[in-house]
């Protein structure tokens, strides 16, 4: 009898373990609706999810399945991108318009169905159509599996902090005007923390995010940069934070007085509250890191860090401000990013490819388009601003590129001749060429399944050097090297970090420099790679990797879901 009980207990334990490892299915409904919102004493209608700004927080565990029904109740087409989710065998759920799906038209719906297998940390979701993500965004938090601890001391509390950008005007009208005139767009009117501008703006004292902490406690701040067009410095007055994760990948912990975080990136930091009540309150603030030559929003958003007062005194406390790096402090940015190293330990090993099947060298930067006949344009020397990768400014097809790939109907949709190297070599960070016009087309790179890729992205001086935050869909990549000036294939690879490089989904190509990454194309589908400045994305700074199926059933893209929107 005892043996039977032992067997039954073992079966129960195995069944419970299987259930835990398989995860659970979590259902959400996203109603895309308009609502009135007031910031900076200006009231306007914004596009939201479920009437919330920022949108709903999604919390799951590693291995869970997410099923999100999106219903479009506004006049604009829309899609939702789950930023940083690998979408293994669920490429139809990635979200970018005309790449993995046609947009969800007004009155239509679509169900995004995917798992979080093998991922944990802070990610986020946002609209991936035009500039709708200015207000359509929210956090996507993946907790470790039950019973699996963080690789650092468990925090007392976890707090999402989403940095955003507020326009008094309609962002859709802003980018439409810029594309029509060919000039730069009007800049935002404020930055926000969890949707609120904070006390440093006029008319915004009450629109301030406040974080109340207890002395001696440790808080995990989950930072997300959801701004449209600005990299941001973030810091807390009189406090140092410990960086423990970026882009949902653990890093070797290090302390920082300020972070730099590009649009699209996330970072988890530990805030160690002071051991006793400090008799002061503290601002935490964000302002831009600026490398380009165009106009920018030179303002600062702030929230308030308040300590629980054991005496409950109502006396007004001094409010201290952080000393953030200067607007163009590239040295600080370089020093900060050089400290990002993966754990590379037994539990979280680095899987950076040690050998390479395909090497690519891409220029990323701005350019121009000729002004149409009988028109006046406001770009450089009467042209229109444009942007490109290897001088190819990507044109979205009129149907979903992934569908064309899946059904082997690429003719008339895309071509497979994206250049491996720049077609017009020049001194990329020196004097720009006289002809700055970009080529146009819907060109992709096709990769066999499991190809190990090394890609060097090179900034250029055309219309000015600039830091470009590049985001790759469907994959994480390893940042193995970076530098300033032109990349030298003869000498620079000897300094690549193949031991513990940071694992990312978004990384900045240094201003006037280059970034080297490696990744394994182990995810069949069509994956856009683009600058996460939405202005540059709108100008064409994007391309697509098409990854073919592998030989095994779990290495193939399944058929499209029946409710996939039609173009």
């Amino acid at each position: 009898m005892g043996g039977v009980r032992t067997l039954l207990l073992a079966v129960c334990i195995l069944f419970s373990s299987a259930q835990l490892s398989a995860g659970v299915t979590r259902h959400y409904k996203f109603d895309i609706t308009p609502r009135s919102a007031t910031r900076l004493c200006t009231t306007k209608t914004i596009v939201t999810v479920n009437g919330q700004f920022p949108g709903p927080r999604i919390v799951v565990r590693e291995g869970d399945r997410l099923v999100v029904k999106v219903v479009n109740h506004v006049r604009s087409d829309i899609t939702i991108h789950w930023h940083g989710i690998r979408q293994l065998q669920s490429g139809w759920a990635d979200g970018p318009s005309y790449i993995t799906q046609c947009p969800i038209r007004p009155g239509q719906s679509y169900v995004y169905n995917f798992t979080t297998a093998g991922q944990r940390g802070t990610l986020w979701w946002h609209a991936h159509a035009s500039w709708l993500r200015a207000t359509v965004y929210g956090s996507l938090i993946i907790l470790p599996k039950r019973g699996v601890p963080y690789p650092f001391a468990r925090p007392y509390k976890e707090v999402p902090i989403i940095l955003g950008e507020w326009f008094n005007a309609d962002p859709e009208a802003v980018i439409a005007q810029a594309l029509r005139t060919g000039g730069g767009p009007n800049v935002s009117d404020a930055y926000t923390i969890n949707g609120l501008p904070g006390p440093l703006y006029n008319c915004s004292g009450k629109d301030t995010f406040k974080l109340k902490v207890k002395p001696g406690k440790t808080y995990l701040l989950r930072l997300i940069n959801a701004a449209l067009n600005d990299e941001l410095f973030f810091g807390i007055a009189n406090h140092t934070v410990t960086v423990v994760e970026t882009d949902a990948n653990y890093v070797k912990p290090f302390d920082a007085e300020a972070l730099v975080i590009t649009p699209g990136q996330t970072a988890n930091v530990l805030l160690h509250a002071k051991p006793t009540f400090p008799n002061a309150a503290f601002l935490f603030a964000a302002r831009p890191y600026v490398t380009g030559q165009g106009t920018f929003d030179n303002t600062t958003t702030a929230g308030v860090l308040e300590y629980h007062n054991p005496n409950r005194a109502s006396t007004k406390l001094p409010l201290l401000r952080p000393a953030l790096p200067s607007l163009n402090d590239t040295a600080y940015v370089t020093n900060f990013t050089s400290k990002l190293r993966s754990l590379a330990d037994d539990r979280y090993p680095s899987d950076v490819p040690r050998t390479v099947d395909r090497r690519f060298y891409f220029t990323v930067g701005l350019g121009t388009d000729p002004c149409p006949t009988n028109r006046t344009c406001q770009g450089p020397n009467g042209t229109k601003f444009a942007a490109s990768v290897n001088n190819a400014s990507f044109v979205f097809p009129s149907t979903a590129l992934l569908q064309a790939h899946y059904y082997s109907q690429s003719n008339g949709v895309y071509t497979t001749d994206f250049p491996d190297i720049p077609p017009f070599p020049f001194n990329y960070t020196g004097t720009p060429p006289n002809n700055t016009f970009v080529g146009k087309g819907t060109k992709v790179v096709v990769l066999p399944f499991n190809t190990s890729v090394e890609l060097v992205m090179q900034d250029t001086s055309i219309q000015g050097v600039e830091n470009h935050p590049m985001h790759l869909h469907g994959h994480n990549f390893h940042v193995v090297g970076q530098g300033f000036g032109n990349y030298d294939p003869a000498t620079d690879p000897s300094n690549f970090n193949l031991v513990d490089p940071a694992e990312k989904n978004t990384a900045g190509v240094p201003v006037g420099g280059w970034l080297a990454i490696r990744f394994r194309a182990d995810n069949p589908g069509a994956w856009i790679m683009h600058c996460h400045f939405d202005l540059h994305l709108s100008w064409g700074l994007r391309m697509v990797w098409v990854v073919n199926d592998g030989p095994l059933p779990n290495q193939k893209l399944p058929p499209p879901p029946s409710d996939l929107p039609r173009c």
Side-chain angles (χ1 to χ4, degrees), residues 33-193:
T33 57
R35 61 158 274 198
S36 178
T38 301
R39 300 290 188 274
L40 311 178
C41 280
T42 298
T43 300
K44 67 171 188 174
T45 298
I46 63 173
V47 178
T48 70
V49 170
N50 299 348
Q52 301 176 39
F53 173 61
R57 181 188 311 172
I58 290 181
V59 181
V60 298
R61 289 194 179 274
E62 178 185 348
D64 285 353
R65 176 170 293 277
L66 263 171
V67 178
V68 186
K69 183 176 183 179
V70 177
V71 184
N72 187 4
H73 301 279
V74 298
R75 296 179 179 178
S76 302
D77 295 344
I78 199 165
T79 65
I80 301 294
H81 170 52
W82 315 93
H83 187 111
I85 293 290
R86 289 289 315 276
Q87 299 292 1
L88 294 167
Q89 289 196 288
S90 56
W92 307 104
D94 190 43
S97 295
Y98 298 106
I99 303 300
T100 60
Q101 65 168 97
C102 297
I104 306 170
R105 307 294 187 190
Q108 294 184 347
S109 65
Y110 180 48
V111 177
Y112 292 90
N113 188 332
F114 57 91
T115 75
T116 59
Q119 296 187 266
R120 86 290 304 164
T122 301
L123 295 173
W124 63 302
W125 56 265
H126 60 80
H128 212 297
S130 190
W131 279 20
L132 289 173
R133 78 171 181 86
T135 55
V136 180
Y137 61 81
S139 58
L140 200 174
I141 296 168
I142 308 174
L143 301 173
K145 292 181 178 180
R146 291 193 183 276
V148 177
Y150 294 127
F152 46 83
R154 183 177 180 179
Y156 173 72
K157 190 176 181 181
E158 302 183 6
V159 182
I161 293 183
I162 310 180
L163 308 175
E165 208 167 356
W166 174 265
F167 291 78
N168 284 335
D170 177 6
E172 292 293 275
V174 170
I175 183 56
Q177 180 186 36
L179 294 177
R180 184 172 59 253
T181 66
N186 294 329
V187 300
S188 56
D189 296 281
Y191 301 107
T192 58
I193 296 176

Side-chain angles (χ1 to χ4, degrees), residues 499-519:
V499 177
D500 59 354
E503 187 174 348
K504 309 278 290 174
N505 63 60
T506 308
V509 177
V511 53
W514 54 271
L515 183 82
I517 67 172
R518 288 187 179 184
F519 67 94

Side-chain angles (χ1 to χ4, degrees), residues 42 86 131 239 285 296 343 404 440:
T42 298
R86 289 289 315 276
W131 279 20
H239 290 72
F296 63 95
L343 287 183
K440 298 282 188 178

Side-chain angles (χ1 to χ4, degrees), residues 251-252 254 260 330-342 479 481-482 484 497 500-502 510 515:
V251 297
K252 291 181 171 67
F254 66 94
V260 64
T330 295
Y332 188 93
V333 172
T334 303
N335 182 54
F336 178 85
T337 55
S338 68
K339 294 179 181 178
L340 296 173
R341 303 294 181 102
S342 65
V479 179
Q482 61 180 8
F484 293 100
N497 176 10
D500 59 354
L515 183 82

Side-chain angles (χ1 to χ4, degrees), residues 227-461:
L228 281 186
N229 294 309
D230 291 278
E231 298 171 279
L232 296 169
F233 290 117
F234 175 88
I236 306 173
N238 289 36
H239 290 72
T240 298
V241 297
T242 303
V243 181
V244 294
E245 177 196 299
T246 61
D247 286 4
N249 289 283
Y250 297 130
V251 297
K252 291 181 171 67
F254 66 94
D255 293 340
E257 294 183 356
L259 286 81
V260 64
I261 181 167
T262 77
Q265 287 183 338
T266 66
N268 282 4
V269 301
L270 296 175
L271 167 64
H272 305 286
K274 297 182 183 298
T276 58
F277 181 69
N279 286 310
F282 307 89
L283 287 183
F284 48 94
R287 74 175 183 191
Y289 164 54
V290 181
T291 59
Q293 297 182 352
T295 57
F296 63 95
D297 180 354
N298 187 13
T299 63
T300 302
T301 182
V304 179
L305 179 69
E306 296 180 341
Y307 276 75
H308 173 71
N309 188 345
N311 299 321
R312 298 187 179 180
S314 58
T315 56
K316 190 171 183 179
L317 299 173
L319 184 59
L320 307 182
R321 295 181 62 165
L324 294 174
S326 60
L327 294 170
N328 61 350
D329 197 343
T330 295
Y332 188 93
V333 172
T334 303
N335 182 54
F336 178 85
T337 55
S338 68
K339 294 179 181 178
L340 296 173
R341 303 294 181 102
S342 65
L343 287 183
D345 58 15
D346 291 341
R347 184 166 189 84
Y348 301 101
S350 175
D351 63 351
V352 56
R354 299 316 201 265
T355 59
V356 173
D357 299 321
R358 295 281 304 274
R359 284 184 166 85
F360 299 88
Y361 185 42
F362 289 176
T363 54
V364 294
L366 304 186
T368 56
D369 282 333
C371 190
T373 305
N374 298 323
R375 288 267 303 275
T376 299
C377 294
Q378 299 175 4
N381 300 314
T383 64
K384 301 181 73 172
F385 273 113
S388 68
V389 181
N390 269 359
N391 205 53
S393 189
F394 187 88
V395 177
F396 283 117
S398 57
T399 189
L401 194 150
L402 183 59
Q403 284 181 281
H405 163 67
Y406 182 81
Y407 291 111
S408 300
Q409 297 174 346
S410 63
N411 189 32
V413 180
Y414 66 87
T415 60
T416 59
D417 56 344
F418 190 91
D420 291 5
I421 59 175
F424 307 110
F426 66 100
N427 180 5
Y428 303 114
T429 55
T431 303
N434 293 326
N435 182 1
T436 61
F437 289 153
V438 300
K440 298 282 188 178
T442 309
K443 300 181 179 184
V444 309
V445 173
V446 178
L447 297 172
F449 180 81
N450 219 34
T451 300
S452 59
V453 173
E454 179 180 286
L455 167 63
V456 176
M457 290 178 280
Q458 173 74 60
D459 184 29
T460 79
S461 58

